[in-house]
mmCIF file of all heavy atoms in Angstrom:
data_model
loop_
_atom_site.group_PDB
_atom_site.id
_atom_site.type_symbol
_atom_site.label_atom_id
_atom_site.label_comp_id
_atom_site.label_asym_id
_atom_site.label_seq_id
_atom_site.Cartn_x
_atom_site.Cartn_y
_atom_site.Cartn_z
ATOM 1 N N CYS B 91 -0.368 -9.816 -4.812
ATOM 2 C CA CYS B 91 -0.345 -9.191 -3.495
ATOM 3 C C CYS B 91 -0.405 -7.668 -3.599
ATOM 4 O O CYS B 91 -1.029 -7.015 -2.750
ATOM 5 C CB CYS B 91 0.896 -9.635 -2.732
ATOM 6 S SG CYS B 91 0.898 -11.368 -2.234
ATOM 7 N N CYS B 92 0.226 -7.090 -4.618
ATOM 8 C CA CYS B 92 0.128 -5.651 -4.826
ATOM 9 C C CYS B 92 -1.302 -5.239 -5.160
ATOM 10 O O CYS B 92 -1.808 -4.237 -4.621
ATOM 11 C CB CYS B 92 1.073 -5.230 -5.948
ATOM 12 S SG CYS B 92 2.827 -5.206 -5.498
ATOM 13 N N ALA B 93 -1.957 -5.975 -6.042
ATOM 14 C CA ALA B 93 -3.341 -5.647 -6.395
ATOM 15 C C ALA B 93 -4.263 -5.813 -5.185
ATOM 16 O O ALA B 93 -5.184 -5.009 -4.981
ATOM 17 C CB ALA B 93 -3.808 -6.542 -7.546
ATOM 18 N N PHE B 94 -4.033 -6.847 -4.377
ATOM 19 C CA PHE B 94 -4.820 -7.054 -3.172
ATOM 20 C C PHE B 94 -4.603 -5.893 -2.192
ATOM 21 O O PHE B 94 -5.549 -5.416 -1.552
ATOM 22 C CB PHE B 94 -4.437 -8.374 -2.520
ATOM 23 C CG PHE B 94 -5.276 -8.755 -1.338
ATOM 24 C CD1 PHE B 94 -6.530 -9.326 -1.508
ATOM 25 C CD2 PHE B 94 -4.804 -8.580 -0.042
ATOM 26 C CE1 PHE B 94 -7.309 -9.685 -0.420
ATOM 27 C CE2 PHE B 94 -5.580 -8.933 1.052
ATOM 28 C CZ PHE B 94 -6.832 -9.496 0.865
ATOM 29 N N SER B 95 -3.370 -5.406 -2.083
ATOM 30 C CA SER B 95 -3.070 -4.267 -1.208
ATOM 31 C C SER B 95 -3.811 -3.017 -1.661
ATOM 32 O O SER B 95 -4.344 -2.260 -0.843
ATOM 33 C CB SER B 95 -1.560 -3.997 -1.195
ATOM 34 O OG SER B 95 -0.845 -5.098 -0.672
ATOM 35 N N VAL B 96 -3.854 -2.786 -2.980
ATOM 36 C CA VAL B 96 -4.579 -1.623 -3.510
ATOM 37 C C VAL B 96 -6.072 -1.756 -3.222
ATOM 38 O O VAL B 96 -6.739 -0.771 -2.859
ATOM 39 C CB VAL B 96 -4.304 -1.476 -5.021
ATOM 40 C CG1 VAL B 96 -5.246 -0.441 -5.642
ATOM 41 C CG2 VAL B 96 -2.853 -1.064 -5.262
ATOM 42 N N TRP B 97 -6.612 -2.971 -3.363
ATOM 43 C CA TRP B 97 -8.030 -3.186 -3.029
ATOM 44 C C TRP B 97 -8.293 -2.860 -1.566
ATOM 45 O O TRP B 97 -9.285 -2.172 -1.246
ATOM 46 C CB TRP B 97 -8.418 -4.629 -3.349
ATOM 47 C CG TRP B 97 -9.796 -4.995 -2.898
ATOM 48 C CD1 TRP B 97 -10.980 -4.687 -3.511
ATOM 49 C CD2 TRP B 97 -10.141 -5.745 -1.722
ATOM 50 N NE1 TRP B 97 -12.043 -5.199 -2.789
ATOM 51 C CE2 TRP B 97 -11.555 -5.846 -1.686
ATOM 52 C CE3 TRP B 97 -9.396 -6.342 -0.704
ATOM 53 C CZ2 TRP B 97 -12.224 -6.526 -0.669
ATOM 54 C CZ3 TRP B 97 -10.060 -7.008 0.312
ATOM 55 C CH2 TRP B 97 -11.461 -7.096 0.328
ATOM 56 N N LEU B 98 -7.437 -3.315 -0.652
ATOM 57 C CA LEU B 98 -7.594 -2.995 0.763
ATOM 58 C C LEU B 98 -7.524 -1.485 0.985
ATOM 59 O O LEU B 98 -8.335 -0.915 1.722
ATOM 60 C CB LEU B 98 -6.489 -3.675 1.585
ATOM 61 C CG LEU B 98 -6.591 -5.175 1.812
ATOM 62 C CD1 LEU B 98 -5.338 -5.688 2.501
ATOM 63 C CD2 LEU B 98 -7.822 -5.530 2.638
ATOM 64 N N TRP B 99 -6.560 -0.856 0.346
ATOM 65 C CA TRP B 99 -6.362 0.589 0.487
ATOM 66 C C TRP B 99 -7.593 1.365 0.049
ATOM 67 O O TRP B 99 -7.944 2.401 0.640
ATOM 68 C CB TRP B 99 -5.145 0.958 -0.343
ATOM 69 C CG TRP B 99 -4.798 2.406 -0.457
ATOM 70 C CD1 TRP B 99 -4.152 3.174 0.457
ATOM 71 C CD2 TRP B 99 -5.078 3.263 -1.573
ATOM 72 N NE1 TRP B 99 -4.001 4.456 -0.024
ATOM 73 C CE2 TRP B 99 -4.553 4.530 -1.270
ATOM 74 C CE3 TRP B 99 -5.693 3.064 -2.815
ATOM 75 C CZ2 TRP B 99 -4.647 5.601 -2.156
ATOM 76 C CZ3 TRP B 99 -5.783 4.118 -3.682
ATOM 77 C CH2 TRP B 99 -5.275 5.387 -3.366
ATOM 78 N N LEU B 100 -8.279 0.865 -0.963
ATOM 79 C CA LEU B 100 -9.470 1.542 -1.470
ATOM 80 C C LEU B 100 -10.715 1.279 -0.616
ATOM 81 O O LEU B 100 -11.522 2.181 -0.394
ATOM 82 C CB LEU B 100 -9.753 1.106 -2.911
ATOM 83 C CG LEU B 100 -8.955 1.752 -4.031
ATOM 84 C CD1 LEU B 100 -9.243 1.052 -5.352
ATOM 85 C CD2 LEU B 100 -9.269 3.241 -4.142
ATOM 86 N N PHE B 101 -10.871 0.059 -0.137
ATOM 87 C CA PHE B 101 -12.178 -0.356 0.385
ATOM 88 C C PHE B 101 -12.201 -0.705 1.876
ATOM 89 O O PHE B 101 -13.279 -0.932 2.407
ATOM 90 C CB PHE B 101 -12.675 -1.565 -0.417
ATOM 91 C CG PHE B 101 -12.959 -1.256 -1.865
ATOM 92 C CD1 PHE B 101 -12.151 -1.773 -2.864
ATOM 93 C CD2 PHE B 101 -13.999 -0.431 -2.226
ATOM 94 C CE1 PHE B 101 -12.396 -1.494 -4.203
ATOM 95 C CE2 PHE B 101 -14.273 -0.136 -3.559
ATOM 96 C CZ PHE B 101 -13.461 -0.671 -4.549
ATOM 97 N N TRP B 102 -11.083 -0.734 2.550
ATOM 98 C CA TRP B 102 -11.072 -0.985 3.989
ATOM 99 C C TRP B 102 -10.672 0.298 4.712
ATOM 100 O O TRP B 102 -9.473 0.615 4.784
ATOM 101 C CB TRP B 102 -10.092 -2.114 4.344
ATOM 102 C CG TRP B 102 -10.607 -3.498 4.056
ATOM 103 C CD1 TRP B 102 -11.333 -3.898 2.984
ATOM 104 C CD2 TRP B 102 -10.404 -4.665 4.858
ATOM 105 N NE1 TRP B 102 -11.605 -5.238 3.053
ATOM 106 C CE2 TRP B 102 -11.045 -5.741 4.200
ATOM 107 C CE3 TRP B 102 -9.737 -4.917 6.049
ATOM 108 C CZ2 TRP B 102 -11.048 -7.024 4.706
ATOM 109 C CZ3 TRP B 102 -9.733 -6.209 6.568
ATOM 110 C CH2 TRP B 102 -10.390 -7.247 5.904
ATOM 111 N N PRO B 103 -11.615 1.052 5.249
ATOM 112 C CA PRO B 103 -11.283 2.332 5.903
ATOM 113 C C PRO B 103 -10.299 2.131 7.053
ATOM 114 O O PRO B 103 -10.447 1.235 7.887
ATOM 115 C CB PRO B 103 -12.645 2.815 6.429
ATOM 116 C CG PRO B 103 -13.654 2.145 5.544
ATOM 117 C CD PRO B 103 -13.069 0.807 5.226
ATOM 118 N N GLY B 104 -9.287 2.975 7.074
ATOM 119 C CA GLY B 104 -8.323 2.969 8.153
ATOM 120 C C GLY B 104 -7.323 1.845 8.154
ATOM 121 O O GLY B 104 -6.543 1.702 9.102
ATOM 122 N N VAL B 105 -7.297 1.029 7.118
ATOM 123 C CA VAL B 105 -6.374 -0.108 7.093
ATOM 124 C C VAL B 105 -4.944 0.377 6.920
ATOM 125 O O VAL B 105 -4.695 1.386 6.241
ATOM 126 C CB VAL B 105 -6.745 -1.114 5.976
ATOM 127 C CG1 VAL B 105 -6.354 -0.580 4.601
ATOM 128 C CG2 VAL B 105 -6.115 -2.477 6.212
ATOM 129 N N ALA B 106 -4.006 -0.308 7.562
ATOM 130 C CA ALA B 106 -2.586 -0.031 7.391
ATOM 131 C C ALA B 106 -1.924 -1.281 6.857
ATOM 132 O O ALA B 106 -1.908 -2.325 7.523
ATOM 133 C CB ALA B 106 -1.951 0.384 8.725
ATOM 134 N N VAL B 107 -1.386 -1.201 5.654
ATOM 135 C CA VAL B 107 -0.735 -2.323 4.991
ATOM 136 C C VAL B 107 0.767 -2.067 4.966
ATOM 137 O O VAL B 107 1.213 -0.965 4.631
ATOM 138 C CB VAL B 107 -1.258 -2.489 3.533
ATOM 139 C CG1 VAL B 107 -0.544 -3.645 2.840
ATOM 140 C CG2 VAL B 107 -2.762 -2.705 3.536
ATOM 141 N N GLY B 108 1.538 -3.069 5.347
ATOM 142 C CA GLY B 108 2.981 -2.935 5.328
ATOM 143 C C GLY B 108 3.619 -3.816 4.266
ATOM 144 O O GLY B 108 3.113 -4.899 3.964
ATOM 145 N N TRP B 109 4.707 -3.344 3.704
ATOM 146 C CA TRP B 109 5.476 -4.108 2.730
ATOM 147 C C TRP B 109 6.958 -3.995 3.085
ATOM 148 O O TRP B 109 7.436 -2.906 3.427
ATOM 149 C CB TRP B 109 5.286 -3.556 1.317
ATOM 150 C CG TRP B 109 4.151 -4.164 0.567
ATOM 151 C CD1 TRP B 109 2.847 -3.722 0.523
ATOM 152 C CD2 TRP B 109 4.202 -5.328 -0.269
ATOM 153 N NE1 TRP B 109 2.095 -4.536 -0.293
ATOM 154 C CE2 TRP B 109 2.904 -5.542 -0.785
ATOM 155 C CE3 TRP B 109 5.215 -6.207 -0.626
ATOM 156 C CZ2 TRP B 109 2.589 -6.583 -1.650
ATOM 157 C CZ3 TRP B 109 4.916 -7.261 -1.479
ATOM 158 C CH2 TRP B 109 3.624 -7.433 -1.980
ATOM 159 N N GLY B 110 7.654 -5.125 2.992
ATOM 160 C CA GLY B 110 9.077 -5.106 3.233
ATOM 161 C C GLY B 110 9.819 -6.041 2.308
ATOM 162 O O GLY B 110 9.260 -7.039 1.831
ATOM 163 N N SER B 111 11.079 -5.724 2.029
ATOM 164 C CA SER B 111 11.949 -6.602 1.278
ATOM 165 C C SER B 111 13.374 -6.385 1.776
ATOM 166 O O SER B 111 13.626 -5.514 2.609
ATOM 167 C CB SER B 111 11.846 -6.362 -0.223
ATOM 168 O OG SER B 111 12.456 -7.425 -0.937
ATOM 169 N N ARG B 112 14.306 -7.148 1.257
ATOM 170 C CA ARG B 112 15.658 -7.137 1.818
ATOM 171 C C ARG B 112 16.420 -5.873 1.477
ATOM 172 O O ARG B 112 17.327 -5.471 2.206
ATOM 173 C CB ARG B 112 16.431 -8.369 1.359
ATOM 174 C CG ARG B 112 16.543 -8.551 -0.143
ATOM 175 C CD ARG B 112 17.076 -9.920 -0.513
ATOM 176 N NE ARG B 112 17.055 -10.138 -1.958
ATOM 177 C CZ ARG B 112 18.020 -9.789 -2.783
ATOM 178 N NH1 ARG B 112 19.119 -9.208 -2.303
ATOM 179 N NH2 ARG B 112 17.931 -10.020 -4.076
ATOM 180 N N LYS B 113 16.077 -5.204 0.351
ATOM 181 C CA LYS B 113 16.746 -3.985 -0.039
ATOM 182 C C LYS B 113 15.715 -2.897 -0.345
ATOM 183 O O LYS B 113 14.648 -3.172 -0.870
ATOM 184 C CB LYS B 113 17.630 -4.206 -1.266
ATOM 185 C CG LYS B 113 18.822 -5.122 -1.009
ATOM 186 C CD LYS B 113 19.675 -5.241 -2.272
ATOM 187 C CE LYS B 113 20.885 -6.128 -2.041
ATOM 188 N NZ LYS B 113 21.735 -6.231 -3.262
ATOM 189 N N GLU B 114 16.091 -1.650 -0.046
ATOM 190 C CA GLU B 114 15.164 -0.544 -0.231
ATOM 191 C C GLU B 114 14.747 -0.374 -1.683
ATOM 192 O O GLU B 114 13.579 -0.094 -1.974
ATOM 193 C CB GLU B 114 15.799 0.748 0.282
ATOM 194 C CG GLU B 114 14.840 1.928 0.327
ATOM 195 C CD GLU B 114 15.424 3.112 1.060
ATOM 196 O OE1 GLU B 114 16.085 2.904 2.094
ATOM 197 O OE2 GLU B 114 15.221 4.254 0.592
ATOM 198 N N GLN B 115 15.678 -0.573 -2.621
ATOM 199 C CA GLN B 115 15.334 -0.382 -4.025
ATOM 200 C C GLN B 115 14.382 -1.445 -4.539
ATOM 201 O O GLN B 115 13.722 -1.260 -5.578
ATOM 202 C CB GLN B 115 16.588 -0.328 -4.904
ATOM 203 C CG GLN B 115 17.469 -1.560 -4.857
ATOM 204 C CD GLN B 115 18.610 -1.376 -3.881
ATOM 205 O OE1 GLN B 115 18.421 -0.778 -2.808
ATOM 206 N NE2 GLN B 115 19.772 -1.877 -4.243
ATOM 207 N N LEU B 116 14.299 -2.578 -3.844
ATOM 208 C CA LEU B 116 13.316 -3.599 -4.214
ATOM 209 C C LEU B 116 11.915 -3.204 -3.734
ATOM 210 O O LEU B 116 10.917 -3.597 -4.326
ATOM 211 C CB LEU B 116 13.704 -4.958 -3.633
ATOM 212 C CG LEU B 116 15.023 -5.553 -4.116
ATOM 213 C CD1 LEU B 116 15.316 -6.845 -3.390
ATOM 214 C CD2 LEU B 116 14.987 -5.788 -5.630
ATOM 215 N N VAL B 117 11.866 -2.446 -2.650
ATOM 216 C CA VAL B 117 10.578 -1.976 -2.133
ATOM 217 C C VAL B 117 10.065 -0.804 -2.958
ATOM 218 O O VAL B 117 8.926 -0.788 -3.407
ATOM 219 C CB VAL B 117 10.697 -1.562 -0.645
ATOM 220 C CG1 VAL B 117 9.348 -1.086 -0.112
ATOM 221 C CG2 VAL B 117 11.215 -2.729 0.189
#
Side-chain angles (χ1 to χ4, degrees):
C91 291
C92 285
F94 186 80
S95 298
V96 169
W97 173 78
L98 286 173
W99 175 80
L100 280 172
F101 295 110
W102 282 40
V105 75
V107 179
W109 270 91
S111 193
R112 57 191 174 87
K113 293 182 179 181
E114 189 170 320
Q115 59 264 39
L116 298 176
V117 181

